Amino acid sequence: MAEKMAVFLFFLFAVVSLAAVIGMIFSRHQAHNALLLAVAFTALGGLFALLNAPFIAAVQIIIYAGAIMVLFIFVIMMVDLRQPLPAAKKRWVYWLGAGLMIVVLTELIFVLRSLPSGSHTAEPDFGSPRALGQILFTKYLYAFEITSILIVAALVGALYLARRREKD
Amino acid sequence: MPPASFFILSCVLFSLGGLAFLIKRDLITQFMAIEIMLNGANLALVAAAKLWGSLAGQVLVFFVITVAAAEAAVGLAIILLIYRQKKNIRSEEINQLKG
């Protein structure tokens, strides 16, 4: 029963995320693109939860579908293009992009054949927030602290870049 | 659920993100396409963490998400600067290094 539910949820989230991304490719309106992207990120959060990663799923929804998409919406609001962008004049660009990405996809799937078969038997609290927090604040503590410095530097840099100049 | 299905989905998401990056014409949507590619890679990492029974994959995804937030802040500030200078964000019109 639980296995059937997992299969159903996997296909639900997979179809929702793929449909949102494909809709983003065909839509020419940036606000619609941002909305579709938020849907895709939320579905991906569900997929993370299916993979024994509840903490990562929560972070995905809070940071990606929440914070980053709000940033995108703010910039779309400030840029204010009024009308949707015109389509590209050159049709061959579409075919070139599609061909290149089909090549990349075949390569990636070809690489997947070297995956080991059979899942690892995980211990019961694998991926729980407690286990993740313990490894994050012991083994990966340096990386964690360096990331916090990086985020402060990025925020200061973004503020400096986006400020209004007094003279011009 | 076989882990290979998650890997295949992540490959398809990565390719679709790359396709969107190549055929879109405005910087904001191209930036969104990069985020899709990052998410495809994240899905592969979480699936690998489950497959090998190691938490390192999940820790890596945590760091990728936090660094992506910093990257989005800086990238969107740069897009805003380009818009103030050129009054549009079409990527084909950004063809010079001197501002």
Side-chain angles (χ1 to χ4, degrees):
Chain A
M1 189 58 206
E3 182 62 23
K4 265 187 187 166
M5 194 68 190
V7 172
F8 170 72
L9 283 176
F10 171 78
F11 279 106
L12 178 71
F13 290 137
V15 166
V16 167
S17 60
L18 287 179
V21 172
I22 291 170
M24 203 201 100
I25 290 177
F26 284 106
S27 157
R28 289 220 303 274
H29 205 287
Q30 287 160 336
H32 298 173
N33 286 347
L35 211 60
L36 286 169
L37 204 60
V39 170
F41 287 161
T42 313
L44 272 162
L47 285 172
F48 291 161
L50 279 180
L51 281 166
N52 289 24
F55 181 71
I56 300 294
V59 166
Q60 165 86 8
I61 289 173
I62 292 170
I63 295 186
Y64 255 120
I68 293 183
M69 292 323 294
V70 167
L71 268 180
F72 271 101
I73 295 286
F74 266 125
V75 172
I76 289 169
M77 183 185 79
M78 283 194 260
V79 166
D80 187 23
L81 289 172
R82 302 260 172 206
Q83 71 271 22
L85 291 156
K89 292 187 186 77
K90 304 172 190 125
R91 298 301 295 183
W92 59 268
V93 172
Y94 291 95
W95 297 111
L96 183 67
L100 272 175
M101 279 308 132
I102 285 170
V103 170
V104 169
L105 184 62
T106 357
E107 278 177 13
L108 287 173
I109 298 221
F110 189 74
V111 167
L112 284 188
R113 298 199 320 172
S114 63
L115 278 181
S117 60
S119 192
H120 197 276
T121 50
E123 58 263 36
D125 74 332
F126 175 75
S128 67
R130 175 195 294 267
L132 198 65
Q134 267 172 357
I135 194 170
L136 196 59
F137 286 107
T138 52
K139 195 176 171 189
Y140 297 101
L141 184 62
Y142 278 126
F144 187 83
E145 297 296 339
I146 291 168
T147 308
S148 64
I149 296 172
L150 173 76
I151 288 177
V152 172
L155 282 182
V156 173
L159 282 176
Y160 176 77
L161 283 175
R163 80 196 192 286
R164 287 209 177 275
R165 267 105 174 146
E166 295 295 322
K167 294 285 183 231
D168 54 36
Chain B
M1 207 59 224
S5 46
F6 287 95
F7 283 106
I8 290 172
L9 177 64
S10 83
C11 293
V12 174
L13 274 177
F14 186 87
S15 307
L16 282 176
L19 178 63
F21 179 81
L22 286 178
I23 70 177
K24 286 293 179 181
R25 279 287 166 275
D26 60 313
L27 288 174
I28 292 181
T29 313
Q30 282 181 319
F31 203 54
M32 290 180 193
I34 295 174
E35 302 290 334
I36 293 173
M37 292 167 82
L38 269 176
N39 267 278
N42 280 353
L43 183 59
L45 281 170
V46 176
K50 171 113 188 254
L51 183 59
W52 274 278
S54 151
L55 272 180
Q58 292 192 15
V59 174
L60 189 51
V61 170
F62 175 75
F63 285 127
V64 168
I65 290 176
T66 47
V67 173
E71 169 239 336
V74 177
L76 289 170
I78 292 173
I79 290 176
L80 214 56
L81 270 187
I82 290 171
Y83 175 70
R84 279 194 197 143
Q85 287 200 348
K86 294 196 180 279
K87 294 296 163 209
N88 67 46
I89 50 165
R90 309 258 300 270
S91 53
E92 66 238 50
E93 299 191 11
I94 301 154
N95 51 10
Q96 53 189 12
L97 284 174
K98 191 166 172 250

